[in-house]
């Protein structure tokens, strides 16, 4: 047997090592070429916020009812049908405030359908609010069909005083004007400007009350609170420092918009002709009537459609 030379052995070993490297490198390249790509790490998606659900119709406030009446008066004065947003107000719930007794205590019910008196020595407060009553003819409803198929028996409600203000508080009383100087003879002879001469002292034919809310009662016992001529009245003991005469008291009325016998939620009339501002009534169903003390926000009495005053 011929022994390999040392040089020959070294060459053979080197060639074998190169062969191993070649085979290994090729296999690595092939494997990398045909191997499936490594899964990429996904960036977590930003969570999508759900769309907000449509809010339920909010309670109508005093200003909202005034807006309904103004839009109705405008349409009536122009011989147009009620706007869609007025007609679709049927069923909407409301919560409104009617201040009264803003001029202090009074016993003159002929001028004040809602008033209050106070006996300071006995700390006794008496409050009375009598709903107004109308006939179908008062609102030109004499020829209107019966309400919901039943005979109309009565209409009760309240005039909304100061229907140009959405605030359910007494008006701020301005400071009385300063005493006017005594006019001199020369001043008396000075004629008034023509513009002042053309300003009337009052607006002729302008009704004192132009906006009312009312319940239309029928023979089938329609829901609501019917007083039949009886006032909402209470007698309570209250300390003098627990109320403010300048703020008076207030009625809080809650309920929903209903329909008049015409099928519409608002009825307007112009008894004084086309130059007079229309007077409008909003049909309602009262769920609750409260007498409140605005100085403390305390409820003095409550009447509801299912319970007596408490």
């Amino acid at each position: 047997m011929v022994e390999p030379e040392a040089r020959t052995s070294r060459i053979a070993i080197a060639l074998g090592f190169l062969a191993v490297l070649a085979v290994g490198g090729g296999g690595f390249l092939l494997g990398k070429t045909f191997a499936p790509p490594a899964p990429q790490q996904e960036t977590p998606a930003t969570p999508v916020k759900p769309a907000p659900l449509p809010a339920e119709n909010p309670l109508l406030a005093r200003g909202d009812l005034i807006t309904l009446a103004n839009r109705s008066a405008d349409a009536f004065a122009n011989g147009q049908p009620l706007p869609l947003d007025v007609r679709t107000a049927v069923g909407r719930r409301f919560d409104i405030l009617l201040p009264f007794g803003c001029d202090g205590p009074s016993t003159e019910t002929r001028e004040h359908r809602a008033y209050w008196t106070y006996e300071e020595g006995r700390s006794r407060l008496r409050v009375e609010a009598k709903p107004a009553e109308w006939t179908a003819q008062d609102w030109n409803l004499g020829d209107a069909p019966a309400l919901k198929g039943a005979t109309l028996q009565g209409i009760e409600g309240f005039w909304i005083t100061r229907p140009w203000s959405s605030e359910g508080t007494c008006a701020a009383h301005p400071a009385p004007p300063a005493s006017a100087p005594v006019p001199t003879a020369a001043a008396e002879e000075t004629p008034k400007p023509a513009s002042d001469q053309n300003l009337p002292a009052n607006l002729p034919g302008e009704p004192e009350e132009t906006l009312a809310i009312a319940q239309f009662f029928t023979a089938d016992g329609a829901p609501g609170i019917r007083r039949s001529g009886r006032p909402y009245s209470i007698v309570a003991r209250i300390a003098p420092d627990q109320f403010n005469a300048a703020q008076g008291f207030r009625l809080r009325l809650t309920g929903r918009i209903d329909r008049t016998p015409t099928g519409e939620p608002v009825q307007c009339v112009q008894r004084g002709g086309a130059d007079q501002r229309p007077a409008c009534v909003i049909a309602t169903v009262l769920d609750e009537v409260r007498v409140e003390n605005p100085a403390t926000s305390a409820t003095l009495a409550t009447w509801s459609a299912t319970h007596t005053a408490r």
Side-chain angles (χ1 to χ4, degrees):
M1 176 172 132
V2 180
E3 292 291 336
E5 296 180 356
R7 184 170 179 272
T8 304
S9 299
R10 287 197 297 269
I11 294 175
I13 292 172
L15 292 175
F17 181 72
L18 291 175
V20 170
L21 290 178
V23 173
F28 172 77
L29 293 176
L30 289 175
K32 188 173 182 180
T33 302
F34 295 100
Q40 297 181 354
Q41 184 177 1
E42 295 183 358
T43 303
T46 303
V48 179
K49 294 182 179 180
L53 296 176
E56 296 183 0
N57 289 334
L59 285 173
L60 298 176
R62 176 187 171 101
D64 299 315
L65 267 62
I66 291 174
T67 298
L68 291 178
N70 288 340
R71 288 178 55 75
S72 301
D74 181 64
F76 177 81
N78 291 286
Q80 299 173 353
L82 290 180
L84 181 61
D85 59 336
V86 176
R87 303 183 68 183
T88 56
V90 175
R92 293 282 303 275
R93 300 195 61 79
F94 64 85
D95 184 340
I96 65 171
L97 297 174
L98 305 181
F100 66 91
C102 300
D103 297 326
S106 173
T107 58
E108 186 56 67
T109 57
R110 288 176 298 178
E111 295 181 2
H112 306 279
R113 299 193 67 88
Y115 71 97
W116 60 275
T117 61
Y118 186 71
E119 296 181 45
E120 190 169 351
R122 303 173 64 180
S123 298
R124 188 171 74 169
L125 172 73
R126 177 179 179 84
V127 175
E128 183 169 302
K130 185 177 181 180
E133 296 182 274
W134 300 280
T135 65
Q137 289 72 23
D138 290 333
W139 294 106
N140 288 346
L141 297 172
D143 298 330
L147 185 64
K148 301 176 183 177
T151 303
L152 183 65
Q153 286 193 333
I155 307 173
E156 291 183 8
F158 295 94
W159 288 106
I160 297 181
T161 58
R162 302 175 63 244
W164 53 85
S165 173
S166 61
E167 294 295 328
T169 58
C170 291
H173 295 284
S179 299
V182 178
T184 62
E188 291 178 354
E189 296 175 357
T190 303
K192 294 182 179 180
S195 58
D196 291 345
Q197 295 178 8
N198 295 331
L199 292 178
N202 297 311
L203 294 177
E206 188 72 13
E208 295 181 358
E209 295 142 328
T210 58
L211 174 57
I213 61 172
Q215 298 180 101
F216 292 77
F217 296 102
T218 58
D220 63 349
I225 306 174
R226 188 171 187 181
R227 301 300 293 170
S228 300
R230 293 173 294 130
Y232 297 93
S233 60
I234 62 168
V235 176
R237 292 192 179 276
I238 181 172
D241 60 351
Q242 292 299 305
F243 70 95
N244 186 340
Q247 297 181 11
F249 292 88
R250 66 192 182 198
L251 293 176
R252 180 182 292 273
L253 310 180
T254 57
R256 58 181 172 83
I257 305 296
D258 200 28
R259 300 180 187 273
T260 69
T262 64
E264 302 287 8
V266 184
Q267 175 74 7
C268 298
V269 296
Q270 276 180 305
R271 301 186 188 91
D275 293 332
Q276 184 187 68
R277 177 182 176 86
C280 299
V281 60
I282 301 176
T284 63
V285 174
L286 290 181
D287 295 332
E288 192 172 80
V289 175
R290 295 184 185 180
V291 175
E292 295 183 344
N293 178 4
T296 61
S297 298
T299 299
L300 303 179
T302 303
W303 292 261
S304 69
T306 55
H307 299 88
T308 57
R310 61 181 184 273

